[in-house]
Structure formats: C-alpha cells, structure tokens
Amino acid sequence: MRKTCLLLLTLAGCTGIPDGVVAVEDFELSRYLGTWYEIARLDHRFERGLSDIRADYSLNSDGSVKVLNSGYSAEAGERESAEGRAEFVETPTVGRLQVSFFGPFYGAYNIIALDKPGYRYAMIAGPDRDYLWILARDPQLPAATLKALVDQARTLGFATDQLIYDRHPPSEQIP
C-alpha cells in the first residue's frame, strides 16, 4: 500500500481555507456520512495512477469521523486504501474539518458547495486553491450539475482547466 493518503489531504498543519472561499453552513454530518465517489480533482501525487476513487465516512466512538479513502491502482492490480480521522475545525454546523492520515498532521477539508436538499454532491477545497475535489453519491454526476460546480470553482479562482475526471466501472462491477 502506498504510504500516502488517497483523495484527501495530508498537509501538516494546513487547516485553513482559501481567501474569498466560504465553507457551507447548516451542515449536517449525519447526512454526509457514507460513500462518496470522486468525480473530478486537481492533480496530486497521492492519487496519481488511481481510478475509481471513493471516500467512506462513518462515526468513530469518540464522535470524530472515520475516513476511509480508496482507489484502484492498475499498476498494482488492486484497490489501495488509507484510513484517517476528521474533526470539525469550527462548529459541527459549518463544513470545515481537519483530516489526519498520519498522526498529529492535519489537512484542511472545506466543503464549499453541497446539495443541501439531497446531499448528492459536494465540492471540497483544501487550505489553498491547489486542492479541489468534486464528489457525488453516485459514480456519475449529471452534466449540468458538474458544469455548475466547475463554473463555481472557476469563479472562485481554481484552475478548473487542470481538473482530472475520475473513471468508475459500471455499478454492477463495483465491489
């Protein structure tokens, strides 16, 4: 297994939010828990060579969030995964968390867009504009929704022309 986190940050102590970007309010963790599929991301070494990237969120007994990120490595011929822990930076109603995969080192997980009626899609930023993910509950996102999220990210100053779009197998092939 790679000694890196998959999907979400491992930046030591970088738990901020980009200037001019705001995390969602009225966030409900219980509705956010479960499986999310990566739809698009900005490139980072810890996800290179991976496809069918997913994040599974569940509650730990201490109230923190268990994060299980995984992706398929064609080179290794298997899924690789990393387990982490997330905690709220502010209050549980603001979509700002800090995530750790390696001991005391935390990275920012800022939910900057969210389908509040259905919790079907989300857009996540790191501490700066170098980190961006678009996630969905299903392996594909409707084209109009994806376009709206990409347009929002572009307006916020993210390099959307550099987005990498993930590939997921048909649902009957998802283990």
Side-chain angles (χ1 to χ4, degrees):
M1 184 180 108
R2 295 177 190 196
K3 292 186 178 187
T4 58
C5 85
L6 305 174
L7 180 63
L8 304 173
L9 308 172
T10 59
L11 300 173
C14 295
T15 58
I17 188 166
D19 289 339
V21 177
V22 177
V24 299
E25 295 187 10
D26 301 321
F27 179 73
E28 297 176 49
L29 178 61
S30 63
R31 295 180 67 201
Y32 198 80
L33 298 175
T35 300
W36 290 85
Y37 294 88
E38 179 185 273
I39 303 301
R41 71 177 183 271
L42 289 177
D43 185 35
H44 289 285
R45 64 176 167 70
F46 48 84
E47 290 182 289
R48 285 191 191 128
L50 298 178
S51 62
D52 190 26
I53 298 171
R54 300 178 220 160
D56 292 290
Y57 304 102
S58 59
L59 277 181
N60 287 318
S61 60
D62 66 359
S64 65
V65 178
K66 176 182 174 183
V67 180
L68 181 62
N69 292 332
S70 67
Y72 180 76
S73 168
E75 182 179 321
E78 63 186 14
R79 287 195 78 75
E80 296 181 356
S81 63
E83 186 174 323
R85 168 190 172 94
E87 301 169 343
F88 284 97
V89 173
E90 297 175 10
T91 70
T93 60
V94 175
R96 289 200 62 218
L97 294 97
Q98 57 183 11
V99 180
S100 176
F101 289 89
F102 303 105
F105 304 107
Y106 283 89
Y109 185 97
N110 298 300
I111 303 165
I112 61 172
L114 179 64
D115 166 35
K116 286 190 181 176
Y119 277 61
R120 304 300 304 160
Y121 62 80
M123 189 160 55
I124 314 304
D128 57 38
R129 286 177 174 79
D130 292 335
Y131 297 89
L132 182 74
W133 292 267
I134 296 174
L135 308 177
R137 292 294 191 175
D138 297 307
Q140 281 78 39
L141 197 55
T145 303
L146 180 57
K147 181 183 181 322
L149 290 167
V150 171
D151 288 348
Q152 179 183 353
R154 183 179 305 109
T155 299
L156 291 171
F158 290 90
T160 57
D161 60 324
Q162 296 176 22
L163 283 172
I164 296 169
Y165 294 88
D166 200 352
R167 298 178 318 276
H168 299 279
S171 60
E172 64 272 5
Q173 295 177 7
I174 295 175

